[in-house]
Amino acid sequence: MSELPTLDAIRATRARLGDLIVTTPVREWDDPALVSELGPGTRVVLKEELFQRTGTFKPRGALSVMLDLAPDALARGVTAVSAGNHAIAVAYAARVTGSTAKVVMPKTANPFRVEKCRTLGAEVVLVDDVHVAFDRVKQIEKDEGRVFVHPFEGPRTALGTATLGLEIVEQVPDVEAVVVPIGGGGLCAGVAAAVKLARPSCAVYGVEPEGADSMRRSFAAGAPQAIDAVRTIADSLGAPHAAPYSFELCRRYLDDLVLVSDDDLRRAMRLVFTSAKLAVEPAGAAATAALRGPLRDRLAGKRVALVVCGSNIDPGTFTTYLGSR
């Protein structure tokens, strides 16, 4: 595989990103409702990445890639494929680097996210599904010379997301476990690499929705695998396939990977909203769903950091999910 991340490279990437991203806060989640879910002794910290620019972690990777582009490449513009959050991040990155973005999104993408892309200046192309979207992006690359900014794959993307992992271990020196959502794996790959490089004793767990389990299938097969369709409310975790570089980093650095159902995600969204007072999209509640479900007993009594990865959701959809039982 390509060269592995190093702590020096991760720190250099964070310095290069500068104030184009923010160092997001961590917060102790200490509330009776959480204690009743987990039992006494488990100490939880929220890494509140939903307060990142554009509302998710995605600008870390997109900017890490785009700041490396030559001036003529930026002049030709970039393209991306996404259910929303990566498209928004690429639109933002294009704006702040003086480039232009043409993003391809499935027709099922949340209209709130589509409008956010357009507000940031991106041209949006809507297609039938994510599989068609990847084909359309390739055509845009060929026809217009735009640079494809992958939603989750590649060394530069991983270095960008690794800056989040480095922040966690610096902000929470006694952290014993980190729980990270997985879509395509770019976030988890970078975070897991940074945490393990800086704090080898800290466990890192990935969490996927049952209806988009491409990484679990890839782990089982020993190579990147694809799924035929995305079947989860956590659309921003709905990658159609795993990819070699992020897969290898996840396989190298993750201690384990667990699955959560859509009902688990809804209940976790409700708990995060009522107890932690955060309004998150389903993906942003995935780490909480894992801790109150498959990881509850395994992490009992530990100091656990949950990555709250984003909150790009419209009020109507949010209240519908919160009202679901």
Side-chain angles (χ1 to χ4, degrees):
M1 66 179 295
S2 300
E3 186 176 345
L4 293 172
T6 65
L7 283 176
D8 285 345
I10 296 167
R11 292 190 178 104
T13 299
R14 181 62 187 91
R16 194 175 189 194
L17 293 175
D19 61 5
L20 296 177
I21 66 164
V22 297
T23 298
T24 51
V26 296
R27 178 164 59 103
E28 297 281 346
W29 189 3
D30 184 8
D31 182 76
L34 182 68
V35 174
S36 69
E37 291 272 353
L38 303 180
T42 305
R43 298 165 296 153
V44 179
V45 172
L46 299 172
K47 175 59 171 169
E48 296 176 327
E49 188 67 5
L50 76 165
F51 297 127
Q52 186 54 258
R53 300 191 192 280
T54 79
T56 74
F57 71 94
K58 284 290 190 178
R60 295 177 186 265
L63 280 164
S64 178
V65 171
M66 289 178 61
L67 289 173
D68 224 30
L69 296 180
D72 64 324
L74 288 174
R76 291 195 306 274
V78 295
T79 187
V81 55
S82 168
N85 288 333
H86 178 63
I88 294 167
V90 169
Y92 163 73
R95 170 175 279 196
V96 298
T97 58
S99 187
T100 61
K102 187 171 186 177
V103 298
V104 182
M105 305 173 72
K107 292 177 180 177
T108 54
N110 190 304
F112 170 83
R113 295 176 181 172
V114 174
E115 185 56 33
K116 199 163 182 176
C117 288
R118 289 176 173 147
T119 299
L120 287 167
E123 180 182 350
V124 178
V125 178
L126 297 175
V127 297
D128 288 337
D129 57 46
V130 290
H131 294 283
V132 176
F134 274 94
D135 292 337
R136 185 61 177 274
V137 160
K138 290 177 184 176
Q139 194 64 44
I140 291 170
E141 277 188 282
K142 180 180 177 182
D143 293 346
E144 302 182 25
R146 291 179 179 270
V147 177
F148 176 45
V149 182
H150 200 284
F152 55 82
E153 177 70 343
R156 295 300 315 173
T157 299
L159 283 173
T161 59
T163 63
L164 193 159
L166 190 61
E167 286 176 19
I168 292 173
V169 296
E170 290 175 346
Q171 293 168 312
V172 192
D174 60 345
V175 65
E176 296 174 277
V178 178
V179 186
V180 194
I182 295 179
L187 172 64
C188 195
V191 170
V195 170
K196 287 296 189 180
L197 289 169
R199 191 77 47 77
S201 62
C202 182
V204 185
Y205 297 92
V207 52
E208 280 188 306
E210 290 176 351
D213 62 339
S214 56
M215 192 63 72
R216 180 198 64 81
R217 297 182 187 209
S218 301
F219 274 31
Q225 300 295 305
I227 55 176
D228 62 344
V230 174
R231 301 179 180 89
T232 175
I233 62 170
D235 54 350
S236 54
L237 300 182
H241 60 264
Y245 187 78
S246 48
F247 164 71
E248 288 294 346
L249 286 187
C250 287
R251 185 163 67 164
R252 176 182 292 262
Y253 292 118
L254 274 184
D255 289 271
D256 203 358
L257 187 158
V258 299
L259 300 180
V260 293
S261 69
D262 280 0
D263 284 343
D264 294 332
L265 290 168
R266 292 185 185 97
R267 285 189 286 266
M269 287 177 68
R270 195 175 303 119
L271 179 64
V272 171
F273 180 68
T274 58
S275 175
K277 310 305 180 187
L278 297 176
V280 299
E281 62 182 275
T288 299
L291 182 60
R292 65 180 296 280
L295 294 176
R296 182 183 184 276
D297 293 339
R298 205 182 313 188
L299 297 182
K302 302 287 188 183
R303 175 76 153 161
V304 184
L306 305 179
V307 176
V308 186
C309 61
S311 186
N312 280 326
I313 188 168
D314 66 281
T317 304
F318 178 75
T319 53
T320 297
Y321 289 158
L322 243 61
S324 302
R325 293 285 177 180

